[in-house]
Amino acid sequence: MKKLYKQFNNLNIETDLEPMEVSDLEKERVKKNLMKGKKKRHISRNFSVAAALLVASSITFSFAFPTIAAKLPIMGDIFELFNNDEEYVFEKHNTYSTDIGLSEESNGINVTVTDAVYDGENITVAYTIKSEKDLGDRPILEGKLVADEFEDKYEHSGFSENYIIEKISEKEYVVVYNYELIKGPKPDEVHITWEGDTILDLNNVSNAFLGDWSFQFTLNALESETQKFTGGSIITEEEGIEILVTKMTETPISTTLYFSEAVDIRLIAKEDEELRVVLIEYTVSDNLGNKYNTIHYRDIGHSTDFPKTRRSYPRLTTTNFHEEATSLTITPIVNIYKKKDNDTLLELVKEPYTIEPIHMPLNK
């Protein structure tokens, strides 16, 4: 590290520099990084900290010389803009992401894919949307994401999509798109073709703009490590409910917990005739008191329309756990719904309630 700083000090940098224009995205990145300066960063238990130290050095250099930083292409910066979002699980994505840098303009709307990363569990794409038009509050690029290696396994189902969107100026938005591979192949390399045909406001789906945006890029899977739990060793039970953790997969950027849920909905809802729906949410914390954001794939959930014995197989994606943590506490929260006024909408039957937490050791 001392050698690295010595190299910085020996750089021949002209001190008589004129101010340069900085993009709204870069301004927002600088502001967010300064605001989060006091936050504690977690380092993975299973992977080297060398890469994190190198990134820290790079950030220090960028802020020490902001004029130089303004000249550099935006790489991995979008992920950092969402660190206050409740679904922010992208703490290390900027370290491992691939620089894409592809732009397409259609119908007066420019979409630029800046970065993407594939860890064998998820494909995560960061991109910007710019337009003189009013695109609404939460616009996304909607279309089909496919890979040659997937064949047709994900064509109609077996995947889940999540978006985090932020409007950073009147004309520019940043988006993190997370494509979860649920039921299908997880190859070591994917040749992605992403065909977008609509800019859609998620807050107002009638606000849509047709166009043609096409991107192609290749991603290699990051290394991963999977631990399977057999014989129902990681479990919680309550009358009418059984929840097991079946396996855990860790990569350099994420941890995915897989569950098996069995719910006797007629028993816990005390209803045989009227429709009832049960969805189980989860909170995750460790023995050090750290709480973890999650992206929750809920699978089919539970309904009185289903056979009594039908299971649901949800999963949680989160960050790597703190390197000093030795156990997790996973708390299920049970939500029971019914139809609202004979409509398609659902409303809670009663207040959500927790059941006995799952206590899960973390192997060192």
Side-chain angles (χ1 to χ4, degrees), residues 20 66 180 220 260 305 316 342 344:
M20 296 181 63
E180 296 184 273
N220 292 312
S260 172
D305 284 345
L316 296 178
N342 295 320
T344 57

Side-chain angles (χ1 to χ4, degrees), residues 107-303:
N107 195 13
I109 303 172
N110 180 275
V111 177
T112 299
V113 177
T114 61
D115 306 87
V117 62
Y118 169 50
D119 67 352
E121 298 289 311
N122 308 273
I123 298 170
T124 307
V125 182
Y127 62 95
T128 66
I129 303 175
K130 296 181 182 180
S131 178
E132 297 293 330
K133 302 174 182 179
D134 182 5
L135 303 180
D137 294 324
R138 300 181 65 226
I140 63 163
L141 176 62
E142 189 176 57
K144 181 182 290 187
L145 187 150
V146 298
D148 298 339
E149 295 77 10
F150 293 164
E151 297 177 347
D152 60 352
K153 302 300 183 182
Y154 293 103
E155 186 172 353
H156 302 294
S157 62
F159 64 91
S160 180
E161 297 174 307
N162 296 278
Y163 302 88
I164 304 180
I165 306 109
E166 183 161 328
K167 186 175 184 178
I168 63 170
S169 75
E170 289 302 312
K171 302 175 182 179
E172 187 172 8
Y173 306 79
V174 291
V175 185
V176 171
Y177 169 38
N178 195 58
Y179 185 98
E180 296 184 273
L181 307 180
I182 305 297
K183 299 175 182 177
K186 298 177 180 180
D188 292 334
E189 183 179 68
V190 288
H191 293 79
I192 299 293
T193 298
W194 188 20
E195 301 284 355
D197 56 16
T198 308
I199 299 295
L200 181 69
D201 181 5
L202 294 182
N203 282 4
N204 179 12
V205 293
S206 62
N207 190 21
F209 302 86
L210 300 181
D212 183 15
W213 301 266
S214 180
F215 305 96
Q216 292 183 324
F217 48 90
T218 299
L219 300 172
N220 292 312
L222 302 178
E223 60 182 302
S224 65
E225 189 177 305
T226 297
Q227 182 180 2
K228 294 184 178 181
F229 307 107
T230 58
S233 58
I234 312 295
I235 188 173
T236 185
E237 293 179 284
E238 186 165 299
E239 187 178 21
I241 301 176
E242 178 189 83
I243 303 173
L244 298 89
V245 181
T246 59
K247 70 176 181 177
M248 178 176 70
T249 298
E250 293 182 280
T251 79
I253 60 174
S254 69
T255 303
T256 302
L257 296 166
Y258 289 80
F259 295 81
S260 172
E261 297 175 350
V263 176
D264 186 340
I265 189 169
R266 293 164 181 82
L267 175 63
I268 67 171
K270 298 178 173 58
E271 179 59 62
D272 291 324
E273 303 297 330
E274 297 294 328
L275 174 71
R276 292 292 183 268
V277 173
V278 169
L279 295 177
I280 300 177
E281 307 291 338
Y282 296 90
T283 62
V284 180
S285 60
D286 64 27
N287 61 298
L288 303 177
N290 298 303
K291 297 180 179 179
Y292 295 91
N293 292 347
T294 62
I295 294 177
H296 187 186
Y297 167 69
R298 293 171 175 80
D299 196 27
I300 57 175
H302 310 276
S303 167

